[in-house]
Amino acid sequence: MLAAVLTSFRQSVIFVCYHFRLLCIKLVLHRKTIYEKAFLCGRKAIGTLVIRDLTRKITSKLFLVNKIMATNRTGAAQRPNGATQGKICQFKLVLLGESAVGKSSLVLRFVKGQFHEYQESTIGAAFLTQTICLDDTTVKFEIWDTAGQERYHSLAPMYYRGAQAAIVVYDITNQDTFGRAKTWVKELQRQASPTIVIALAGNKQDLANKRMVEYEEAQTYADENGLLFMETSAKTAMNVNDIFLAIAKKLPKNEQTSGQGGSAQGRRLAEGDAGAKAPGNCCK
Amino acid sequence: MDYEFPKEFDLIVVGTGVVESILSAAASRVGKRVLQIDENDYYGGQWASFSLESIIKSKHHKKDYGGNESETNLLRFGNDLVSLKNIAHKFHMTSNNTLEEETDKIENEEQPKENKWTEENLLKLSRKFNIDLYPKLQYARGDFVELLISSNIARYCEYRSVSRILIWFNNRLESLPCSRSDVFANTKVSVVEKRMLMKLLTSLNDKEKHVQNYENKTFKEFLTDKKLTPNLIHYVLYGISSSSDDTSCEDGIEKARRFLNSLGRFGNTPFLFSLYGSGEIPQAFCRLSAVFGGTFALGQQIQGFSISDDKFKSVTLQSQTVEAEKLVLNIENLPARFIKSDKLEYISRCILITDRSVLDSEKEHLSLIFYPPTDGKSFTTVIEMGFLTGTCPNNLYLVHLIAKQNTSPQEDFQHVIDKLFASHVEETSQEKPSILWSYYFSMPETNDIILSDDLPNNIFVCPGPEIDLDYDTSVDKAKLLFEKMYPDLEFLPRAPDPEEIIIGDDNEEEESTDINEEDHDKVINVEQEDKENVISAEQEDKVNVISAEQEDKVDQQ
Amino acid sequence: MHGRLKVRTTEEQKAIKLKEQQKKLDAYKHAMERVLSTRKKDSYDPKSLQISSGILQANPDVYTIWNYRKEVILMKVKESNDDELEGEEKLIDFLEDEIKLTEQCLPSNPKSYGTWHHRYWVLLHHPKPNWNNEFSLCTKYLSKDDRNFHCWDYRRLLVNKIGITLDHELRFSTERLNNNFSNYSSWHYRSTLRKLDSDCVNHELELVKSAVFTDPIDSSAWFYLRWVLSNPTIKKDTKLELLEAFEQLEELEPDCKWVILGKCWLLEQGDLKTRLETYKKLVVLDPLRKGMYMDFIRQAQKEI
């Protein structure tokens, strides 16, 4: 059921699952540990995301088919009297780090819950999306992968545009990648928005017996630079959700900053954009 | 750090301008192995956008690596013909700060009170500028936007509508009435004129009917014969169809139709502009290429390339030689010996930073301004963009002027600048904007350059920006070249949405997930959830039962 | 380095969608049963309330559920009346959530009677309603679709309730018209705003003249014109001027029946012969309404 929900989620389909919403509420009321609440809520919250579009017809009496255009609508969490409250906030998150540290694996683990040992470079996925449910807000990540452009130092400025969060990944079994990660952090501080939330991820924690970068060293560096830090393992899924959750919590969720692009405002083009209705006459 | 490239590719692309990037994306998309390199450390080449500091510093001409051509047997990339000329820039205010001004200034890059801009504080905001070498607008129903949407690249960038179109008429700037609501709200034309204009606009779609008797006549004559008043002729000829007096009737109608066709799709003008400048467009195509496996390397010290048996063979980078079946390059990278035309037409360009809009209004506009030809000067297009386009800091405007070159950029634009702007800071009248910084240059028109016959047939040359306002000609060129390169393959089919992609094989059970005993319970819970995620849709029911049980368990806890 | 891209085929996608829809259908039925089974006169089940809000967001046209919620609200109001200290605050909180719910339901179906009515009803019971907010909401939905008569009605309710300056509404109406004047609702709204006197009647005439000349086929502007012309304070000169302008327009648009009809309105008390001719023209141009024009002719002939 969950697999079907996740893997078949298209930009243009709504899933409103009442079971899941109920479960969400139950969890909130039972005061589960934050992790479980967020995680389980997050997985199921995809089902409860309601995306609206005014130009598509109602396909059946019950359910509506929509496209994502704007963001900031009220979301999943509910207050006791039944009226829903809270918002959906969408954020662009970029991944950085040397090739082969496990960036794509991290994302894959987070978005699809999968891990492939000999994953080739991800073909065709310009970015992936995943949602996390916090107490009263639903946070949707639009996760951009480098597509290999970091290999020869050819990441385009477009990559950083409007990014509100970033994860810089290094491999704990490779000291060089940690050094490079520091350069990436500097690059972010230079190119990206000054309010960007940066997380440092020491990946491949499952290979801790071959560790070359000490936890404390990285933690100190992170503290000095105001970064979140966690050691993760895409293979065992350790801390994968945690790190995204931590980022989601740190992101400012007021009306102004949760959206695309800080200052400049634009729109995305989408298929079926018929534009303004033709000014016609009803009657002759 | 990785400097070694694979030894062989299907296609090497030299340059990162729009046309070659479209080709790179199209080739990657159909599975070709593409290597795209640029000697600059930025994307875009002549289509790029710059920060204030970097456009001032950039010399815009070819760098020189490696030794003598005859020694290395390599053909050097680049020529002197196709490069920017007549570059001149100037800050228009004094950089001496009086003590008073210093204490008035607020720290942290905010602009000083009373809008006293100086060279220093402009440069401090350098990174907030995205100055296009050649700004482009996009017709809402043009080929380019259709391509963006159909190939799904549109998701990479954001756009803004041009919010108003102005035209110079009767010695002042007036709003161009192009849509029905504009015509309705316009107070400068009589009601009968409104009817005539609407009638003409709606009838322009019927091309055949009109052109029959006007094959050899100009659009202006056509309009005069339609009994339009001089007002209306001015609007339609210079505004809606952005033509000049000698544009042929057929061309004029075509341009007008393109304009009118795109009205209303994304706003009440036909044009879109990509946020953060036109330099985003080559980056978007390059990203598409990378997403489908293309390899990218900027800042390469390219020594040259080799030809054998009349065919392109390989490119030599600083230490490595890379072979490929085909080579695509930008015309500015083509060795001079392959260029037949020796005389080039030029486009005059001017970029200004100003402190207010040419026509003040309540909200900030992205304005397109048409300045009709006059006194032997060419038709000038002006684009004024503000903070909301992401191309300049708050309270400043970036103005681009474009025209076919007559004499020199300064001379070509002098009349427009005199009319629209106050030229010295001291002279600020309340109405006209002051120029804080100006940048002039000439850009060669490369769309119609004739190439020599001995160019190997597996080398494909892409033009630079041409004078049209939009990208449609460039897209057409790219499609033509792609057709030549890969005749049977589809040009940029739609890229799938992320949700449609199956990564790995969903029908497999999850692979080894070495759950460490030491890991806390959370991980185990997570693991179980993950396992379920991977189980295929066919096993849904089973999973339903499992998760239902899980839910109950969770509830009971 | 290049893998093959695997994408779901549309058949696969359809099959998956169908399964999902079936599940949703079951969930919906289940939810409805649950809510209706717990409906009682003097107490309510909070869980059912939550479920009902979910139902409404997916399908805001289920009146029964809106009514269920109204019952609950009434109970809450009674509760708050009993509770002296914090009653009002709690009630306000509760009602604010209710209003938010309607806001969420609106995007999915902005033309749902149920949603708009519920919103108004809640505001009526609200101890401190914020009517200005409602105006902005109206404006927002009207800019999305200025033919949404629910929204226009709502706006009229608001104007009646709180009374807003004429200027403000006039400006709003002019803005809507500038945006798109092919809209019966916008013109109609304008006509309800005020009684025209000799000062503003000319301004209105100019406005509607602009519309009919810009697009003579658009009927909504003509209807407004007729209303303006029926105003007794219009001077004869103005009418003559307009008639001349219509003559010019007729030259440009000989086939447009509205122009000629417009002339008729202007000629009403005028020259009989010209009128008869014009009516005859109309019969030819607009055969659908032949009967009506024949009737005009008969009436005119009676006057002879």
Side-chain angles (χ1 to χ4, degrees), chain B residues 90-128:
Chain B
K90 189 166 102 173
F91 280 94
H92 286 238
M93 62 299 215
T94 57
S95 63
N96 295 329
N97 296 325
T98 63
L99 218 67
E100 220 183 14
E101 280 173 353
E102 295 251 12
T103 49
D104 272 345
K105 260 192 263 177
I106 311 167
E107 236 109 30
N108 299 331
E109 298 184 352
E110 283 179 42
Q111 70 271 25
K113 295 178 191 166
E114 294 168 19
N115 283 337
K116 285 249 181 340
W117 290 99
T118 65
E119 189 174 325
E120 282 75 23
N121 53 28
L122 263 191
L123 282 172
K124 252 201 220 145
L125 297 172
S126 164
R127 305 210 84 238
K128 298 215 172 151

Side-chain angles (χ1 to χ4, degrees), chain A residues 7-8 14-16 18 25 52 54 61-64 74 79-84 120 123 279-281 284, chain C residues 3 5 8 16 20 24-25 28 49-50 53-54 57-59 94 97 104 107-108 144 147 180 217-218 289:
Chain A
T7 55
S8 68
I14 279 190
F15 294 95
V16 181
Y18 299 105
I25 300 159
R52 319 220 185 252
L54 298 168
K61 238 197 155 185
L62 312 174
F63 311 109
L64 310 165
T74 48
R79 271 226 218 124
N81 74 347
T84 60
E120 290 179 346
I123 305 292
N281 304 307
K284 275 224 193 116
Chain C
L5 183 63
R8 292 188 191 284
I16 296 173
E20 291 305 327
K24 277 181 259 172
L25 188 55
Y28 179 82
L49 200 62
Q50 287 163 23
S53 78
Q57 281 183 55
N59 179 13
F94 188 81
D97 283 334
Q104 288 159 49
S108 56
K144 282 193 196 155
R147 293 185 185 185
N180 175 15
I217 335 178
D218 187 68
R289 294 176 185 83

Side-chain angles (χ1 to χ4, degrees), chain A residues 3 9 35 126 154 158 265, chain B residues 43 160 283 287 499 526 533:
Chain A
F9 178 72
Y35 177 84
S154 308
M158 185 190 74
Q265 295 154 24
Chain B
Y43 282 93
R160 217 171 155 72
Q283 292 174 38
R287 179 163 170 88
E499 298 84 12
V526 172
N533 288 340

Side-chain angles (χ1 to χ4, degrees), chain C residues 47-294:
Chain C
K47 230 182 242 181
S48 293
L49 200 62
Q50 287 163 23
I51 302 178
S52 72
S53 78
I55 300 178
L56 285 170
Q57 281 183 55
N59 179 13
D61 289 318
V62 188
Y63 290 107
T64 319
I65 305 292
W66 283 121
N67 288 337
Y68 167 74
R69 289 190 83 92
K70 289 193 178 70
E71 287 167 8
V72 174
I73 293 177
L74 285 174
M75 285 185 234
K76 281 270 169 186
V77 172
K78 190 148 167 287
E79 246 179 62
S80 85
N81 288 335
D82 295 334
D83 180 349
E84 300 248 331
L85 288 169
E86 289 189 345
E88 194 177 293
E89 224 181 275
K90 281 195 200 145
L91 181 63
I92 291 185
D93 279 341
F94 188 81
L95 291 178
E96 284 296 321
D97 283 334
E98 204 62 26
I99 293 178
K100 275 213 193 96
L101 175 65
T102 60
E103 237 173 83
Q104 288 159 49
C105 293
L106 274 177
S108 56
N109 181 9
K111 293 194 183 178
S112 159
Y113 283 100
T115 321
W116 287 106
H117 180 257
H118 192 78
R119 198 183 171 90
Y120 187 64
W121 188 88
V122 169
L123 282 165
L124 285 177
H125 285 80
H126 198 294
K128 293 189 189 137
N130 180 352
W131 295 109
N132 283 320
N133 237 7
E134 302 306 303
F135 262 103
S136 341
L137 184 78
C138 249
T139 316
K140 176 170 141 195
Y141 275 94
L142 281 176
S143 23
K144 282 193 196 155
D145 178 5
D146 52 9
R147 293 185 185 185
N148 186 345
F149 65 87
H150 296 267
C151 211
W152 284 112
D153 275 344
Y154 195 70
R155 202 182 179 88
R156 269 188 279 269
L157 277 176
L158 294 175
V159 170
N160 284 332
K161 190 92 185 140
I162 62 168
I164 201 158
T165 62
L166 183 62
D167 258 347
H168 182 267
E169 283 311 283
L170 270 176
R171 259 185 295 131
F172 177 75
S173 163
T174 319
E175 200 189 298
R176 290 274 102 236
L177 286 170
N178 276 338
N179 201 296
N180 175 15
F181 63 78
S182 283
N183 187 339
Y184 282 100
S185 306
S186 310
W187 289 113
H188 176 70
Y189 187 70
R190 202 179 175 81
S191 66
T192 63
L193 284 177
R194 60 184 173 175
K195 217 162 156 49
L196 296 179
D197 58 13
S198 46
D199 292 329
C200 48
V201 77
N202 282 319
H203 178 254
E204 292 302 304
L205 200 56
E206 284 307 312
L207 186 69
V208 72
K209 212 165 104 178
S210 188
V212 300
F213 273 80
T214 308
D215 194 0
I217 335 178
D218 187 68
S219 45
S220 49
W222 288 104
F223 278 109
Y224 189 73
L225 176 67
R226 180 153 80 162
W227 178 74
V228 172
L229 286 177
S230 69
N231 193 298
T233 62
I234 295 196
K235 302 200 187 67
K236 216 170 180 198
D237 299 341
T238 339
K239 283 200 180 171
L240 282 173
E241 259 179 55
L242 193 56
L243 195 55
E244 273 175 35
F246 280 161
E247 301 281 350
Q248 277 185 299
L249 187 56
E250 195 181 342
E251 275 174 46
L252 288 171
E253 301 289 338
D255 292 332
C256 179
K257 70 135 201 235
W258 287 105
V259 188
I260 305 183
L261 196 54
K263 284 198 337 189
C264 287
W265 299 333
L266 287 167
L267 290 169
E268 229 138 67
Q269 287 95 35
D271 180 10
L272 199 57
K273 197 155 156 248
T274 342
R275 275 163 68 198
L276 280 174
E277 274 173 29
T278 357
Y279 290 144
K280 293 203 177 104
K281 262 195 233 171
L282 279 171
V283 174
V284 173
L285 273 182
D286 188 15
L288 273 178
R289 294 176 185 83
K290 185 169 163 195
M292 180 168 90
Y293 303 132
M294 297 302 292

Side-chain angles (χ1 to χ4, degrees), chain B residues 183-428:
Chain B
V183 175
F184 170 64
N186 190 304
T187 49
K188 301 233 169 46
V189 290
S190 74
V191 279
V192 177
E193 281 181 314
K194 287 191 191 191
R195 187 62 222 133
M196 294 203 290
L197 182 59
M198 281 309 300
K199 208 169 169 200
L200 177 71
L201 295 182
T202 40
S203 78
L204 276 174
N205 277 320
D206 198 359
K207 183 176 180 183
E208 281 67 40
K209 188 171 92 172
H210 295 302
V211 183
Q212 253 164 23
N213 306 323
Y214 287 88
E215 258 105 40
N216 297 322
K217 301 217 180 138
T218 65
F219 194 42
K220 190 169 186 179
E221 289 174 321
F222 171 78
L223 292 173
T224 327
D225 288 349
K226 284 259 170 193
K227 302 217 185 72
L228 290 180
T229 58
N231 280 8
L232 296 184
I233 296 184
H234 191 98
Y235 286 140
V236 177
L237 183 62
Y238 302 125
I240 295 181
S241 89
S242 24
S243 307
S244 349
D245 290 355
D246 52 1
T247 311
S248 78
C249 183
E250 194 171 342
D251 284 344
I253 295 187
E254 186 58 47
K255 285 174 153 186
R257 274 172 59 211
R258 204 148 69 121
F259 184 98
L260 295 168
N261 214 13
S262 293
L263 277 177
R265 187 180 193 187
F266 295 115
N268 55 357
T269 66
F271 298 104
L272 290 173
F273 180 71
S274 80
L275 226 48
Y276 305 110
S278 309
E280 298 291 287
I281 300 294
Q283 292 174 38
F285 282 101
C286 288
R287 179 163 170 88
L288 182 66
S289 181
V291 161
F292 280 94
T295 307
F296 280 83
L298 296 176
Q300 295 297 308
Q301 293 172 15
I302 310 174
Q303 313 282 22
F305 66 103
S306 72
I307 298 185
S308 81
D309 296 331
D310 266 344
K311 269 191 174 301
F312 156 76
K313 190 121 182 308
S314 65
V315 170
T316 303
L317 306 167
Q318 60 213 43
S319 51
Q320 212 191 334
T321 302
V322 184
E323 291 191 353
E325 267 176 35
K326 300 186 179 24
L327 175 72
V328 164
L329 41 64
N330 189 304
I331 185 126
E332 53 171 351
N333 286 317
L334 188 66
R337 63 175 252 204
F338 292 118
I339 301 180
K340 221 171 174 182
S341 341
D342 52 354
K343 268 206 151 261
L344 285 181
E345 301 264 330
Y346 281 87
I347 303 169
S348 283
R349 283 277 291 123
C350 172
I351 307 175
L352 305 171
I353 299 180
T354 61
D355 60 356
R356 57 196 298 169
S357 172
V358 285
L359 192 66
D360 275 329
S361 143
E362 281 167 9
K363 57 175 190 157
E364 183 190 298
H365 280 285
L366 171 56
S367 315
L368 172 62
I369 304 165
F370 293 123
Y371 201 101
T374 158
D375 294 334
K377 307 275 188 185
S378 329
F379 186 97
T380 307
T381 311
V382 184
I383 306 176
E384 181 189 75
M385 47 189 87
F387 172 65
L388 292 175
T389 56
T391 54
C392 64
N394 206 352
N395 291 326
L396 285 179
Y397 284 86
L398 206 55
V399 182
H400 289 272
L401 293 98
I402 307 155
K404 211 161 151 65
Q405 184 162 310
N406 265 336
T407 46
S408 80
Q410 278 90 341
E411 282 177 33
D412 286 342
F413 293 125
Q414 194 57 50
H415 65 298
V416 179
I417 292 183
D418 286 339
K419 293 283 185 186
L420 295 180
F421 303 98
S423 38
H424 296 291
V425 180
E426 293 82 17
E427 274 181 31
T428 28

Side-chain angles (χ1 to χ4, degrees), chain B residues 44-48 50 60 81-87 132-136 331-332 344-351 401-405 408-409 412-413 439-447 449 463-468:
Chain B
Q46 285 185 350
W47 310 72
F50 296 89
H60 300 295
L81 201 58
V82 180
S83 58
L84 303 186
K85 301 220 168 8
N86 303 329
I87 303 176
D132 292 329
L133 274 188
Y134 205 101
K136 290 275 188 188
I331 185 126
E332 53 171 351
L344 285 181
E345 301 264 330
Y346 281 87
I347 303 169
S348 283
R349 283 277 291 123
C350 172
I351 307 175
L401 293 98
I402 307 155
K404 211 161 151 65
Q405 184 162 310
S408 80
D412 286 342
F413 293 125
Y439 192 82
Y440 290 90
F441 62 99
S442 310
M443 180 176 258
E445 260 259 43
T446 52
N447 215 16
I449 288 190
E466 18 60 42
I467 196 164
D468 287 351

